[in-house]
Amino acid sequence: MLEFFGRFHPVLVHLPIGILLIACLFLVLILVPKFANLRPAIGALLFFGMLSAVFSCITGYFLANSGDYEGELVNNHQWMGIGVAVLAVLLLCIHKYTKADSRISTIMAVLLLVLVSATGHLGGSLTHGSDYLTAPLKGDGAKAGAAIPAIPNIQEALVYQDAIQPLLKNRCYSCHGSEKQKGKLRLDLEAYILKGGEEGNTLLKGKAAESELIKRLLLPASNEKHMPPKEKPQLSQNEVALLHWWINNGAEFNKKVKDIKQPDDIKVVLAALEKGTAGTIVSKQLDIPVKEVDAANEKDIKRLHSAGVMIFPVAQNSNYLTANFINAHSTADSVMNALKAVKDQVVWLKLEHKSVNDVGLKSIKDCRNLIRLSLNHTQITDKGLENLKNMDQLQSLSLVGTKVSAKGLAQLSKLKSLKSIYLYQTNVKREDWNTIKKLFPKVLIDSGNYQVPTLAKDTTEVKVVTAAQ
């Protein structure tokens, strides 16, 4: 029922505005003798305008009590809407039962015009934000396309206060602020952000890919669940990447930028923030191929979703996908066949499931566009790694908690795009490190709080780091 009212309320709102404005205009014009022939039409206009205003009040009442709105603004809008309906009824009666040259009708028409304008303004504030009229006139980053104003000393800036909050304010508050909470979600205060909306946790600290906020941002613009709505300003890839980085690093509300680990792709985004160009799409920041592919078959996507696989676009307006099997119900042949069907689109794959073994890896053998692959805590062995030998685009490979050894890794030495391999809790021994570095001279080898760097000398130095990268 609420969905019905939400869909037709805008029509019912604009209808009385248009009809009543025409009626008011005619009431003023008939004061001039040559426009006296407009009088017969005024009664009909006032009647239909009054009728639609009443229906608008009814639908507005149900929407106001839906839980999506709160605050003084919605109350004022509601009462002014009722005032418009009442005044329209009075004007209709006065026009019908007074003389043609009555000045009372004219005065009432002017009052109705003012009230309709004020009510419409409040409605616009509810829908688009209280500054919807002045925002385009502001000479800040929002005008240039970025939702975040330039931050001159980015490393000393507070991540949330100086970057995340302005982004949410300029892109999200109009639907999820103090006056309106679509889906019962508020994003204007820390407590509300962490509380989430009617669909649960909007933000999962440390898990950006599983956070509803990121999922909604990355949905195709044509999807009804995509946020922001397609008719409103969209976040750039830089701005989405910034949110992704903030959430993955714990969604802290009081930390400075310099206190959070900054991968190379985020350094590009931070540099753009410093220049005030964060609204510009910088394709290099994303680990996705430059060449686009056709969209995956919707039936294959639904098959994966029904199996508990989280799969969605890696970026706005991109057909490339990320797939996560961590909550998958199974990895049966039907599920893996669905994965094979989207082999061209999947570039980030988290195939972390206890049932995944060497045979299962055959299903991804032809996923030649894979850039990130995580096989943590699976049953794969050196034999399974044979299926990865032709993944020329692979940049990141995580094998934590598997039975792979240095011998198995040697099969991947010809993958020239590899940048990092994660080997914590594997069968790779300390004495194998030198051999591995010779096989992968330009690759970061992370064995669990230890990085094995490439040195100019022949020896190998082990350096402790604060967290696995």
Side-chain angles (χ1 to χ4, degrees):
M1 181 65 72
L2 287 176
E3 183 179 353
F4 172 83
F5 286 135
R7 181 171 296 180
F8 288 99
H9 181 70
V11 177
L12 293 174
V13 165
H14 292 107
L15 191 62
I17 288 177
I19 295 175
L20 291 175
L21 287 179
I22 294 173
C24 291
L25 176 62
F26 281 15
L27 279 168
V28 174
L29 288 175
I30 61 173
L31 294 176
V32 180
K34 68 176 182 178
F35 293 112
N37 60 339
L38 294 176
R39 181 175 176 80
I42 294 176
L45 288 171
L46 287 175
F47 176 76
F48 286 111
M50 172 272 296
L51 201 61
S52 56
V54 171
F55 277 109
S56 179
C57 287
I58 294 172
T59 59
Y61 172 79
F62 283 103
L63 286 175
N65 289 279
S66 67
D68 286 351
Y69 300 88
E70 66 178 40
E72 185 178 356
L73 186 61
V74 69
N75 289 329
N76 291 340
H77 177 62
Q78 188 175 9
W79 283 109
M80 282 192 173
I82 294 172
V84 168
V86 171
L87 198 56
V89 173
L90 291 175
L91 184 55
L92 176 62
C93 294
I94 291 171
H95 174 73
K96 185 175 181 180
Y97 297 108
T98 58
K99 296 180 180 180
D101 61 348
S102 173
R103 296 294 189 272
I104 299 177
S105 296
T106 305
I107 295 172
M108 292 286 286
V110 173
L111 289 175
L112 182 58
L113 179 62
V114 172
L115 191 56
V116 166
S117 301
T119 307
H121 172 66
L122 291 181
S125 297
L126 281 173
T127 304
H128 305 291
S130 58
D131 63 343
Y132 76 101
L133 290 177
T134 59
L137 303 176
K138 295 178 180 178
D140 55 17
K143 182 179 178 181
I148 309 171
I151 306 174
N153 191 354
I154 187 65
Q155 293 300 325
E156 291 296 326
L158 291 167
V159 179
Y160 174 74
Q161 180 178 315
D162 296 323
I164 302 300
Q165 189 175 43
L167 175 59
L168 297 178
K169 179 180 179 181
N170 287 311
R171 294 292 183 261
C172 307
Y173 281 13
S174 63
C175 290
H176 305 288
S178 59
E179 298 294 345
K180 180 181 179 182
Q181 300 85 42
K182 191 173 181 180
K184 295 181 174 61
L185 172 65
R186 283 185 66 169
L187 295 174
D188 57 324
L189 294 173
E190 176 182 348
Y192 292 121
I193 293 174
L194 298 178
K195 179 182 178 182
E198 63 184 2
E199 295 194 15
N201 293 327
T202 300
L203 183 152
L204 295 174
K205 290 188 174 185
K207 299 179 180 180
E210 298 174 31
S211 296
E212 193 67 23
L213 176 64
I214 298 298
K215 290 182 181 180
R216 294 292 186 95
L217 289 172
L218 295 180
L219 286 172
S222 58
N223 192 301
E224 63 179 11
K225 291 188 175 182
H226 169 79
M227 293 296 161
K230 61 182 180 181
E231 66 273 8
K232 295 191 175 184
Q234 301 296 304
L235 279 71
S236 70
Q237 290 180 356
N238 275 351
E239 291 162 350
V240 174
L242 184 71
L243 282 171
H244 198 283
W245 168 67
W246 177 63
I247 295 171
N248 265 347
N249 284 278
E252 298 289 345
F253 287 82
N254 299 305
K255 279 191 174 182
K256 290 185 176 182
V257 172
K258 67 179 182 181
D259 297 326
I260 301 180
K261 185 171 62 177
Q262 300 167 20
D264 289 341
D265 56 343
I266 289 301
K267 289 179 181 178
V268 174
V269 178
L270 296 177
L273 278 176
E274 203 160 35
K275 297 176 182 178
T277 59
T280 304
I281 296 175
V282 181
S283 59
K284 291 183 178 180
Q285 70 158 54
L286 294 170
D287 292 336
I288 59 176
V290 175
K291 184 179 179 181
E292 191 53 85
V293 293
D294 294 332
N297 189 298
E298 195 62 32
K299 290 183 178 179
D300 296 320
I301 299 296
K302 289 182 178 179
R303 285 167 62 191
L304 290 166
H305 277 308
S306 63
V309 179
M310 293 182 288
I311 184 164
F312 47 90
V314 297
Q316 289 178 323
N317 302 317
S318 174
N319 291 326
Y320 287 111
L321 304 171
T322 174
N324 189 336
F325 276 71
I326 197 166
N327 292 320
H329 309 320
S330 74
T331 55
D333 290 343
S334 59
V335 179
M336 300 311 289
N337 286 336
L339 180 61
K340 288 170 65 176
V342 295
K343 60 182 177 62
D344 293 331
Q345 289 81 17
V346 174
V347 290
W348 303 348
L349 177 58
K350 203 169 187 178
L351 197 59
E352 297 180 5
H353 196 279
K354 60 183 179 181
S355 65
V356 174
N357 52 30
D358 294 339
V359 176
L361 283 191
K362 292 182 179 180
S363 299
I364 67 170
K365 185 176 181 179
D366 295 324
C367 294
R368 300 290 297 272
N369 286 331
L370 272 184
I371 290 176
R372 302 180 190 175
L373 176 60
S374 180
L375 298 168
N376 297 342
H377 305 293
T378 58
Q379 300 179 40
I380 66 165
T381 65
D382 291 346
K383 184 177 180 181
L385 293 183
E386 294 179 4
N387 297 292
L388 312 183
K389 291 192 298 183
N390 295 319
M391 293 186 178
D392 301 327
Q393 305 300 317
L394 193 62
Q395 296 180 19
S396 175
L397 176 61
S398 189
L399 301 167
V400 176
T402 63
K403 297 178 181 179
V404 300
S405 68
K407 182 179 179 181
L409 283 174
Q411 303 174 83
L412 309 180
S413 60
K414 294 184 179 180
L415 297 182
K416 302 303 181 182
S417 297
L418 265 181
K419 295 179 180 178
S420 55
I421 304 177
Y422 301 88
L423 299 172
Y424 183 53
Q425 294 180 337
T426 64
N427 287 339
V428 177
K429 308 300 181 183
R430 181 181 291 269
E431 54 267 27
D432 296 325
W433 288 354
N434 281 337
T435 301
I436 291 176
K437 286 308 298 181
K438 289 179 181 178
L439 289 171
F440 304 95
K442 297 180 180 181
V443 178
L444 167 66
I445 306 297
D446 191 322
S447 58
N449 288 336
Y450 289 92
Q451 297 175 6
V452 186
T454 303
L455 303 176
K457 49 192 177 183
D458 294 331
T459 58
T460 300
E461 175 183 279
V462 178
K463 177 174 66 178
V464 178
V465 295
T466 56
Q469 297 184 18

